[in-house]
């Protein structure tokens, strides 16, 4: 089953994915064209740190697969896509409900297509902000993805098994 065929299915599957489900991370909206996604996280007893604010790992996790998933939905099976590196800058404590919005532009997608058209890899970089309910930025993340177009499937040649040669052969 190609579960990337429908953004609605991807949203449902990821909302049930244990790293999201058990931390309280929810994809609130994923556009049918995969160019916009909104992810939210409510402060719960199981995702609080010792100061009673959002655990930094949960803030980091809420952004983890999103750009990769969006690009997979756009480019499909013809590309290899995964997260390569990421870093986070914690700016202020997160309290209550927090959210992050992810957007992909035509320019970003065109640049990836151009970079990968001859089989080369692209390492697009994205910045996403996690905000609180008042719109204040509480953390800023930089994510670098690895994107490469898969080579066309080559016809497999049938090889005849080599016949064992005797001492004379």
């Amino acid at each position: 089953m190609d579960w990337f065929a429908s953004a609605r299915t991807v949203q449902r599957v990821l909302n049930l994915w244990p790293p999201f489900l058990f931390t309280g991370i929810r994809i609130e909206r994923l556009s049918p064209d995969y160019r916009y996604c909104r992810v939210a996280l409510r402060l719960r007893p199981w995702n609080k740190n010792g100061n009673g604010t959002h655990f930094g790992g949960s803030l980091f996790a809420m952004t983890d697969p999103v750009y990769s998933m969006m690009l997979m939905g756009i480019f499909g099976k013809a590309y290899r896509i995964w997260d390569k590196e990421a870093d986070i800058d914690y700016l202020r404590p997160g309290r209550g409900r927090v959210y992050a919005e992810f957007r992909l532009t035509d320019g970003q997608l065109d640049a990836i297509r151009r970079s990968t058209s001859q089989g080369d890899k692209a390492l697009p970089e994205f910045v996403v902000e996690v905000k609180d309910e008042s719109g204040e930025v509480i953390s800023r993340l930089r994510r670098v993805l690895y994107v490469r177009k898969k080579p066309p499937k080559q016809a497999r040649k049938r090889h005849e098994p080599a016949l064992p040669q005797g001492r004379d052969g």
Side-chain angles (χ1 to χ4, degrees), residues 11-12 14-16 19-21 23-29 37-42 44 62 66 97-100 102:
Q11 182 175 345
R12 286 181 184 142
L14 286 177
N15 280 337
L16 294 173
F20 275 17
L21 181 65
T23 55
I25 297 167
R26 298 238 350 120
I27 295 178
E28 293 183 331
R29 171 139 166 65
C37 185
R38 182 180 172 107
V39 178
L41 174 63
R42 294 187 190 280
R44 306 283 188 191
M62 72 185 283
V66 179
R97 183 179 162 282
V98 297
Y99 67 94
F102 303 79

Side-chain angles (χ1 to χ4, degrees), residues 2-157:
D2 183 11
W3 60 280
F4 277 98
S6 159
R8 184 177 209 110
T9 300
V10 171
Q11 182 175 345
R12 286 181 184 142
V13 168
L14 286 177
N15 280 337
L16 294 173
W17 185 45
F20 275 17
L21 181 65
F22 296 126
T23 55
I25 297 167
R26 298 238 350 120
I27 295 178
E28 293 183 331
R29 171 139 166 65
L30 177 59
S31 66
D33 64 0
Y34 290 95
R35 291 175 180 239
Y36 174 81
C37 185
R38 182 180 172 107
V39 178
L41 174 63
R42 294 187 190 280
L43 187 61
R44 306 283 188 191
W46 52 86
N47 63 20
K48 281 184 187 180
N49 63 23
N51 295 313
T53 60
H54 277 285
F55 172 62
S58 295
L59 296 173
F60 192 81
M62 72 185 283
T63 69
D64 187 11
V66 179
Y67 275 120
S68 292
M69 172 266 311
M70 291 168 74
L71 289 176
M72 286 178 197
I74 291 168
F75 292 132
K77 293 179 181 181
Y79 286 77
R80 287 189 179 98
I81 301 166
W82 61 77
D83 283 301
K84 183 180 181 308
E85 66 182 78
D87 56 64
I88 187 168
D89 186 11
Y90 298 103
L91 303 172
R92 59 179 41 93
R95 296 179 175 85
R97 183 179 162 282
V98 297
Y99 67 94
E101 293 180 297
F102 303 79
R103 290 179 174 83
L104 291 170
T105 66
D106 288 339
Q108 291 168 317
L109 297 173
D110 290 343
I112 292 169
R113 283 186 188 100
R114 276 193 311 276
S115 296
T116 60
S117 65
Q118 300 299 312
D120 296 325
K121 68 181 176 189
L123 301 173
E125 184 174 314
F126 302 98
V127 175
V128 63
E129 296 177 333
V130 179
K131 299 178 180 180
D132 64 16
E133 290 180 297
S134 68
E136 291 289 323
V137 177
I138 62 166
S139 65
R140 185 172 291 116
L141 294 96
R142 182 184 67 88
R143 293 209 159 265
V144 178
L145 275 60
Y146 171 97
V147 182
R148 177 172 262 155
K149 195 171 189 177
K150 292 179 184 176
K153 291 188 178 184
Q154 298 175 2
R156 294 184 179 170
K157 295 179 183 176

